[in-house]
Each structure stands twice: as structure tokens, then as C-alpha cells.
Amino acid sequence: MKILVTGFDPFDGETVNPSYEAVKLLPDTIAGAQIIKLQVPTRFALSGTVLEAAVNEHRPDAVICVGQAGGRSAITPERVAINLADASIPDNAGDQPVDEPIRKDGAPAYFTSLPVKAMVQKMRAAGIPAALSYTAGSFVCNSLMYTLLYLIDRQYPAMRGGFIHVPYAMEQAVSKPLGTPSMELHQIARGLALAVEAVVENERDLTVNR
């Protein structure tokens, strides 16, 4: 099994992005699955293009995109992406779309095909704060998740895909208001590795029951 895991570059004045910093800490093999790591730009127009090129090159069995959700205190797999780009801040290219569709020919929303409940259960069983999320926002994170699920719907129906938001890294919280949630990078990476394990186990169960 081959799994593509992506994270973003820093944005909004930050010097690090915990999504890709944690992805870099993942081992190259998890539960027998090959892990392909990819950094994507925090840009509406380019992030999906970079992801699609990687999918076309590697043809993974599953794709897990990871992004930063400052203010959240847990690792949160997302259930749904909406066909809306509505940015409160500019992306790294200075683009700031308002009330624009991500894909004019796409569905209003797409649901993840990852086993998100099993992912959350596995992380929480290991003592890592995790919860389901029902909103990926309307910034580049949602745009990338929507683009991935659109790609799966149109070209790769056998591929699974979805998105996970992670908290600020602890070093980011130093400059934030007192009480801002954060998580240590190795703990984030451990949570992501467990989420990957849940994906692999779910795929094996599906294969056995076919």
C-alpha cells in the first residue's frame, strides 16, 4: 500500500507550519505502507496543482492532507469539504478570494473517504487529543481537501482521501496569547502515524471482506 501525506509551508507571518514539520517526522513505512511526503504551498491556485501532479506521479492508494488549525486543541480529521473559497486573509501569493467556487463543475460538498472515526479512536486510545471536525473552513486547507476529493470523484474512484487539521506547534504558542492551545511536534507526528495505521487497517479489512 502507498499513502501520500502532505503538509503546508508556513503562512500568515509564521516561520513554521506544524503540518509539514510533523509530516517530515513520519517514518517512511507505517504498518507496511509506503509513506510519500509532500510539501504543498499555501496558495489557492497552486496547492491543488502540486497535489494533482503528485497523485498522477505516484498513484497512491490513499492521500492524507494535513494543515494547521490555530486555536484547536486536538488533532481533527475532517469529514467534509465545501465548494467555497472565502479567505479572511491573503494566501502566500496574495490571493484572497471571496465567495468563489473552487470548482465550477463540482458538487456543493464532498465527504472524506477515510475512516475518520477509527482514526480518532486510535489516537485517543493512545492518549492523544483527537476529535472529528465538521468544518475545514474556507481557506486553502478546505480548498485542497475539496480539490483532492473532486479528483477522486472524477479520476481516481478507488483512491481514498481526506484531510487532518493539527494544532499550533508548541514553539508557535510562545508568541500567542496566554492559553493558546498547542501540541508538541513529535506528539502531532505520533497522532498522524496512528491515523495512517487506521487507514491501512481499514483497507485490509475491506480487502478481506471483498
Side-chain angles (χ1 to χ4, degrees):
M1 191 173 181
K2 190 186 299 183
I3 300 178
L4 174 64
V5 187
T6 76
F8 285 103
D9 61 359
F11 70 99
D12 195 28
E14 298 285 346
T15 58
V16 298
N17 191 317
S19 62
Y20 190 60
E21 294 304 314
V23 167
K24 287 193 296 185
L25 294 174
L26 293 175
D28 294 331
T29 303
I30 298 175
Q34 178 188 354
I35 305 302
I36 303 161
K37 306 166 192 178
L38 175 71
Q39 185 181 60
V40 294
T42 309
R43 296 172 58 176
F44 281 98
L46 190 57
S47 58
T49 301
V50 171
L51 174 65
E52 185 170 356
V55 168
N56 291 337
E57 177 186 355
H58 297 290
R59 303 297 177 98
D61 299 285
V63 181
I64 303 173
C65 298
V66 185
Q68 169 190 296
R72 294 190 187 181
S73 59
I75 298 174
T76 49
E78 299 291 346
R79 296 211 72 173
V80 62
I82 58 174
N83 193 7
L84 177 68
D86 191 28
S88 60
I89 60 171
D91 69 6
N92 282 351
D95 293 332
Q96 192 172 358
V98 176
D99 293 337
E100 293 182 11
I102 297 165
R103 298 278 183 161
K104 291 183 178 179
D105 62 339
Y110 290 112
F111 285 91
T112 183
S113 51
L114 297 179
V116 287
K117 288 187 176 180
M119 293 159 73
V120 168
Q121 183 179 18
K122 200 168 186 70
M123 285 187 277
R124 295 186 68 172
I128 299 172
L132 287 179
S133 171
Y134 295 86
T135 174
S138 56
F139 194 52
V140 183
C141 289
N142 173 75
S143 179
L144 186 65
M145 181 181 178
Y146 185 91
T147 299
L148 168 62
L149 299 179
Y150 173 93
L151 186 63
I152 290 172
D153 181 60
R154 299 303 174 97
Q155 296 186 44
Y156 295 99
M159 188 172 72
R160 292 173 168 265
F163 197 97
I164 300 176
H165 267 122
V166 300
Y168 283 132
M170 290 182 70
E171 51 264 45
Q172 290 176 284
V174 173
S175 60
K176 307 297 180 193
L178 186 65
T180 298
S182 64
M183 190 177 290
E184 202 274 328
L185 274 174
H186 284 85
Q187 188 82 327
I188 296 175
R190 182 166 169 253
L192 294 179
L194 290 166
V196 170
E197 285 184 17
V199 173
V200 175
E201 290 167 2
N202 182 262
E203 185 64 25
R204 286 174 180 162
D205 289 344
L206 289 174
T207 301
V208 169
N209 292 323
R210 279 174 187 155

